[in-house]
């Protein structure tokens, strides 16, 4: 930070009188709702965790979610903004039997923290009020520290494969052939580093999503939601196997499936409402992740895989939203005036 010269402008002077803008309302609302969900999920996980390091990770994640919620309530109360309902103790049964092994909790925390960081990082350049912008910077910094702890535990306990190794370039290599973009026909080049990173990341995220969804599918009561979860499992399994195949062809290892970390319990610790919202929310987060993957991928075969996945995710999210709406479980984010109804 010492390399940058200070600027004498600050928005603090108008913070006390400036109402929350669209950006601030929307991002605070989404952060509140997501962390109210995390509090219930992590509180249950803590009831069934024997490994001390993993337990500490869960406690840290829970403490952060509670801290974020408290800070957001301060912003909302100051601006007379209604506190979102979010999720409560009614959405979790802390006395339910174990549904996941301790190892799964570490993968889940990484899965959830990455989703949180994507929300906080996008908020930072959009939010103009300095106090709220600094809140999202704080959220991002906390999530970064937590992710560092998670990765250390994953590597220290050997719960994750070592990252792939590729040759160090021996010089500057210019792209001089259109075949660089090929994926199906003609000369197909090896995967480049950014493509490998995103294939790996999407496999890692989706194997965790599958294990979580497998547990949810075992315990959900509503048959319509169960059918949707089954569809989510099938489409995610197919996508993961396709991504793994792209790495396998080039003899590059990939993250392992985590389905074995789900117990056979059918006793629900979570309400159907929180499980459906969780999966709809996290599948929606994947859209941003796959968009990032598309942006750095040049091979057309991988682009096509991501495009098909995006279509399937969009349909899943749409159907899940419809169920949430039909059951009266979906809370509306802040919205603009309906000008046609103003008399």
């Amino acid at each position: 930070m010492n390399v940058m010269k200070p600027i004498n402008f600050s928005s603090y002077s108008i913070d006390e009188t400036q109402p929350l803008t669209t950006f601030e309302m929307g991002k605070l609302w989404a952060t509140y709702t997501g962390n109210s969900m995390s509090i219930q999920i992590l509180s249950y996980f803590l009831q069934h965790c024997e490994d001390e390091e993993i337990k500490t990770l869960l406690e840290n994640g829970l403490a952060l979610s509670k801290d974020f919620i408290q800070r957001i309530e301060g912003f909302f109360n100051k601006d007379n903004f209604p506190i979102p309902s979010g999720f409560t103790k009614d959405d979790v049964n802390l006395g339910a039997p174990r549904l996941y092994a301790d190892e799964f909790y570490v993968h889940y925390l990484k899965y959830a923290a990455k989703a949180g960081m994507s929300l906080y990082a996008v908020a930072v350049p959009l939010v103009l009020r300095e106090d709220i912008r600094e809140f999202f910077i704080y959220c991002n910094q906390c999530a970064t520290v937590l992710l560092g702890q998670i990765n250390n535990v994953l590597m220290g306990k050997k719960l994750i494969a070592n990252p792939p190794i590729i040759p160090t370039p021996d010089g500057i290599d210019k792209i001089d052939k259109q075949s660089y973009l090929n994926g199906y026909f003609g000369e197909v080049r090896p995967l480049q580093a950014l493509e490998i990173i995103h294939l790996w990341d999407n496999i890692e995220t989706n194997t965790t999503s599958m294990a979580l969804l497998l547990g949810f599918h075992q315990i959900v009561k509503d048959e319509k939601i169960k059918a949707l979860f089954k569809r989510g499992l099938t489409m995610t399994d197919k996508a993961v196997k396709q991504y793994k195949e792209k790495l396998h062809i080039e003899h590059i290892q990939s993250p392992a499936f985590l389905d074995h970390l789900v117990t056979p319990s059918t006793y629900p610790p979570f309400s159907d409402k929180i499980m459906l919202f969780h999966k709809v929310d996290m599948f929606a987060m994947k859209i941003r992740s796959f968009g990032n993957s598309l942006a750095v991928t040049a091979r057309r075969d991988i682009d096509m895989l991501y495009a098909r996945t995006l279509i399937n995710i969009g349909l899943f999210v749409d159907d899940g939203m419809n169920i949430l709406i039909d059951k009266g479980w979906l809370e509306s984010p802040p919205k603009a005036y309906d000008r046609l109804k103003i008399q």
Side-chain angles (χ1 to χ4, degrees), residues 270-282:
F270 306 119
S271 68
D272 285 4
K273 172 187 172 183
I274 197 171
M275 288 189 290
L276 179 57
F277 180 89
H278 193 328
K279 293 317 300 178
V280 168
D281 185 52
M282 295 301 276

Side-chain angles (χ1 to χ4, degrees), residues 166-207:
I166 59 175
T168 300
D170 54 10
I172 304 300
D173 187 14
K174 297 283 187 174
I175 299 170
D176 57 5
K177 294 181 180 179
Q178 293 297 322
S179 61
Y180 186 84
L181 306 176
N182 288 351
Y184 293 106
F185 308 106
E187 180 186 351
V188 178
R189 62 165 171 79
L191 294 168
Q192 44 97 331
L194 293 174
E195 292 164 345
I196 295 171
I197 290 169
H198 283 268
L199 282 167
W200 179 284
D201 183 55
N202 288 320
I203 294 168
E204 184 180 72
T205 297
N206 281 282
T207 52

